């Protein structure tokens, strides 16, 4: 009955909730082409005014970081607390800083 | 809507033991115990993956099959308002199925594999949809009771350990409450209508009450996977806990509109602060799980027909897209 290669490709869907916000990933749809992917994304993810704009892109085109590299990639930031304003002690009475 | 885990075949514990790095398993268990979310590319035990695919695809199938009993009344809705609402609700069920299928696909099972499992009878769906919708009041009873039970099951799953599943549940829960309220509104109007209408509402409640209680799955002592699923945070409350909660919430709603819950054993228990209620007919439940529900064959035939009749559309769209892509490439 089914043949995996005959399945319509998978597309990732991103919705801009309202003007001024960035597009945010909401899920995925199957569609034969980009135009159909937009139509399916609209029917599946914006039935209640959830968005004003859609992006779709083939799921196969996404490159993501490897969870195994998460420590190497993200942990070095942990000991760089001086990147945050709260690291610095400012005397009471000093304002607007 | 929702289905509880019905197959009960996977023995999770035995599978966990199959040659998996104990350090990885321990790290995974610790993350889950700490209420962290597991994401698609994270390492996970095979049994966790399998259990999730089964649970999520069963849930997705239930949403899709669940469109059939309600779709049955779209052309006969009593007025335009009700018809527009019912159409929107059935469309939501399709959407819920799609959210869940795509969440399940992140675990490496294709949509076609899941469809095939449903159509071949290998995968289960909620037993509730193997009952027929005989009158318009059934549409009210389904929204109120069936979606009500679904909400009870689904709200805790918004905190389930698998990220894509939890996110799908957040979307679904937001939409379900409209479903329940529109159903209750239908029942409320019928119950306040003519004597024939009131009888129709009561009859629908009589027929849907017990199947709704069955939606929470077998009693805890007959639900072998519950313990592991709760530890893995893919189930957050036991079947009996949720069933009790549903009874406690729903009985006053029935009383408020003058309908009677069809259970002679139903009685408020002051000491427990909860209702005592009668025993569910589990023989019936297991028979329906096995596909002996009144309209089980009809449901599967309808899905099969939709799948087969849609084949040429899927093929044509795919070939058309390939041709256009080739032409575009040639023109560049």
């Amino acid at each position: 009955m089914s043949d995996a290669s005959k399945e319509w490709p998978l597309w990732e869907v991103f919705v801009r909730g309202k003007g001024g916000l960035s597009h945010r990933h909401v899920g995925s749809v199957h569609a034969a082409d980009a135009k159909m992917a937009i139509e399916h994304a609209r029917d599946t993810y914006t039935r209640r005014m959830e968005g004003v704009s859609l992006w779709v892109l083939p799921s196969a085109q996404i490159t993501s970081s490897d969870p195994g590299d998460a420590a190497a990639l993200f942990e070095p930031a942990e000991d760089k607390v001086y990147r945050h304003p709260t690291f610095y002690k400012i005397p009471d009475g000093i304002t607007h800083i | 809507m929702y289905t509880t885990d019905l197959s009960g075949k996977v023995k999770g514990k035995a599978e966990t033991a199959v040659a998996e790095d104990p350090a990885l398993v321990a790290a995974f268990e610790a993350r889950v115990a700490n209420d962290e979310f597991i994401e698609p590319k994270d390492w996970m035990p095979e049994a966790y993956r399998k259990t999730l695919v089964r649970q999520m695809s069963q849930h997705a199938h239930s949403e899709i099959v669940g469109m059939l009993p309600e779709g049955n009344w779209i052309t006969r809705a009593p007025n335009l308002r009700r018809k527009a609402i019912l159409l929107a609700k059935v469309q939501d069920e399709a959407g819920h199925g799609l959210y869940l299928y795509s969440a399940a696909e992140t675990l490496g099972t294709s949509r076609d594999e899941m469809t095939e499992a449903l159509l071949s009878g290998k995968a289960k769906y909620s037993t509730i949809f193997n009952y027929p919708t005989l009158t318009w009041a059934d549409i009210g009873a389904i929204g109120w009771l069936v979606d009500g039970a679904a909400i009870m099951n689904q709200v805790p799953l918004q905190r389930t350990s698998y990220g894509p599943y939890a996110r799908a549940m957040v979307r679904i829960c937001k939409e379900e409450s409209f479903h329940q309220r529109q159903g209750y509104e239908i029942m409320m109007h019928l119950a306040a209508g003519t004597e024939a209408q009131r009888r129709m509402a009561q009859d629908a409640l009589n027929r849907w009450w017990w199947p709704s209680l069955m939606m929470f799955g077998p009693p805890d002592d007959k639900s072998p996977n519950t313990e592991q699923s709760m530890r893995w945070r893919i189930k957050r409350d036991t079947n009996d806990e949720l069933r009790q909660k549903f009874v406690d919430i729903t009985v006053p709603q029935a009383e408020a509109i003058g309908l009677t819950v069809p259970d002679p054993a139903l009685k408020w228990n002051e000491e427990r602060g909860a209702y005592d209620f009668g025993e569910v007919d589990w023989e019936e439940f297991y028979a329906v799980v096995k596909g002996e529900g009144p309209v089980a064959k009809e449901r599967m035939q309808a899905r099969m027909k939709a799948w087969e009749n849609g084949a040429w559309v899927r093929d044509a769209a795919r070939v058309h897209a390939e041709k256009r892509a080739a032409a575009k490439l040639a023109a560049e």
Side-chain angles (χ1 to χ4, degrees):
Chain A
M1 181 183 67
S2 67
D3 172 353
S5 67
K6 279 175 131 191
E7 230 177 46
W8 287 344
L10 195 63
W11 303 72
E12 296 304 317
V13 179
F14 299 79
V15 176
R16 185 199 297 285
K18 56 180 181 179
L21 298 180
S22 52
H23 286 77
R24 188 167 153 258
H25 183 245
V26 291
S28 54
V29 292
H30 283 276
D33 59 24
K35 186 166 165 270
M36 190 195 281
I38 290 280
E39 285 163 4
H40 287 180
R42 179 254 183 202
D43 288 346
T44 309
Y45 292 105
T46 62
R47 291 193 303 283
R48 287 179 174 76
M49 300 176 294
E50 289 95 335
V52 294
S53 162
L54 286 165
W55 284 353
V56 294
L57 84 155
S59 307
Q61 296 292 320
I62 291 186
T63 307
S64 67
S65 62
D66 184 337
D69 294 340
L73 288 172
F74 308 115
E75 275 174 19
E78 274 175 21
D79 58 7
K80 296 178 179 61
V81 283
Y82 45 82
R83 283 185 169 143
H84 297 279
T86 47
F87 176 75
Y88 302 93
K89 286 199 181 68
I90 303 292
D92 291 347
I94 307 287
T95 54
H96 305 298
I97 183 163
Chain B
M1 309 243 181
Y2 181 76
T3 178
T4 44
D5 179 8
L6 300 174
S7 69
K9 272 178 198 143
V10 170
K11 292 286 171 279
K13 271 175 192 151
E15 287 189 18
T16 318
V18 177
E20 280 177 339
D21 181 348
L24 284 174
V25 176
F28 169 86
E29 296 276 355
R31 285 186 67 195
V32 171
N34 198 27
D35 271 336
E36 285 180 39
F37 288 101
I38 305 301
E39 294 295 340
K41 295 185 77 179
D42 293 345
W43 186 88
M44 61 187 84
E46 249 340 275
Y48 175 84
R49 185 186 298 274
K50 268 194 187 157
T51 307
L52 264 179
V53 167
R54 194 181 60 230
Q55 184 173 326
M56 291 163 74
S57 65
Q58 276 180 7
H59 189 165
H61 297 327
S62 301
E63 303 283 355
I64 298 300
V65 177
M67 296 164 76
L68 297 169
E70 294 185 293
N72 182 34
W73 280 90
I74 289 174
T75 57
R76 294 173 291 165
N79 57 46
L80 190 56
R81 175 178 180 270
R82 295 286 182 204
K83 183 184 278 202
I85 291 169
L86 186 55
L87 267 172
K89 179 179 190 293
V90 172
Q91 193 190 13
D92 272 356
E93 306 301 355
H96 295 178
L98 296 177
Y99 305 156
L100 287 160
Y101 280 131
S102 59
E105 281 170 87
T106 63
L107 290 161
T109 303
S110 75
R111 180 80 58 94
D112 277 359
E113 282 173 294
M114 289 186 269
T115 306
E116 191 164 12
L118 172 68
L119 297 183
S120 70
K122 214 175 99 201
K124 303 291 182 204
Y125 57 89
S126 184
T127 52
I128 194 93
F129 304 118
N130 286 336
Y131 293 89
T133 40
L134 304 177
T135 72
W136 170 251
D138 289 15
I139 300 305
I142 288 181
W144 172 35
L145 302 173
V146 176
D147 289 88
I151 292 172
M152 203 66 77
N153 268 324
Q154 288 167 344
V155 165
L157 289 176
Q158 294 178 99
R159 295 176 293 117
T160 194
S161 61
Y162 188 57
Y165 192 19
R167 293 192 285 275
M169 293 318 308
V170 170
R171 294 189 69 88
I172 290 174
C173 286
K174 263 190 206 158
E175 299 179 353
E176 289 283 6
S177 103
F178 136 61
H179 296 179
Q180 192 187 17
R181 292 178 75 133
Q182 65 85 35
Y184 190 66
E185 193 201 59
I186 290 173
M187 294 300 261
M188 202 169 74
H189 279 258
L190 290 174
T194 64
E195 180 50 26
Q197 287 173 323
R198 201 201 63 76
R199 274 206 309 272
M200 193 195 271
Q202 182 63 51
D203 166 63
L205 172 57
N206 293 349
R207 283 181 292 109
W208 290 95
W209 176 255
W210 293 105
S212 299
L213 295 193
M214 292 175 195
M215 283 178 70
F216 297 96
D220 292 349
D221 54 9
K222 300 229 168 54
S223 179
N225 295 329
T226 291
E227 194 197 328
Q228 168 153 297
S229 289
M230 292 199 41
R231 200 181 74 238
W232 278 344
R233 310 282 204 265
I234 51 185
K235 185 169 183 163
R236 311 250 15 185
D237 301 274
T238 74
N239 298 350
D240 287 334
E241 282 165 10
L242 290 169
R243 193 167 8 248
Q244 179 72 57
K245 211 168 150 192
F246 176 76
V247 171
D248 291 345
I249 284 177
T250 311
V251 170
Q253 291 171 354
E255 283 170 355
I257 54 175
L259 296 178
T260 309
V261 171
D263 178 0
L266 187 76
K267 203 174 148 227
W268 178 252
N269 183 326
E270 195 62 52
E271 205 177 307
R272 287 201 305 127
Y275 283 95
D276 291 334
F277 56 98
E279 179 73 12
V280 174
D281 180 355
W282 294 112
E283 292 293 313
E284 177 180 325
F285 172 77
Y286 288 112
V288 179
V289 168
K290 276 193 298 179
E292 292 166 20
V295 289
K297 284 201 181 67
E298 207 180 309
R299 298 287 184 246
M300 271 311 94
Q301 276 162 6
R303 287 314 307 153
M304 205 90 79
K305 196 173 142 202
W307 179 251
E308 283 166 6
N309 290 352
W312 72 270
V313 180
R314 293 192 298 276
D315 289 342
R318 182 173 47 81
V319 172
H320 179 66
E322 283 165 7
K323 253 166 101 174
R324 289 210 356 174
K328 198 178 159 205
L329 209 63
E332 273 167 12

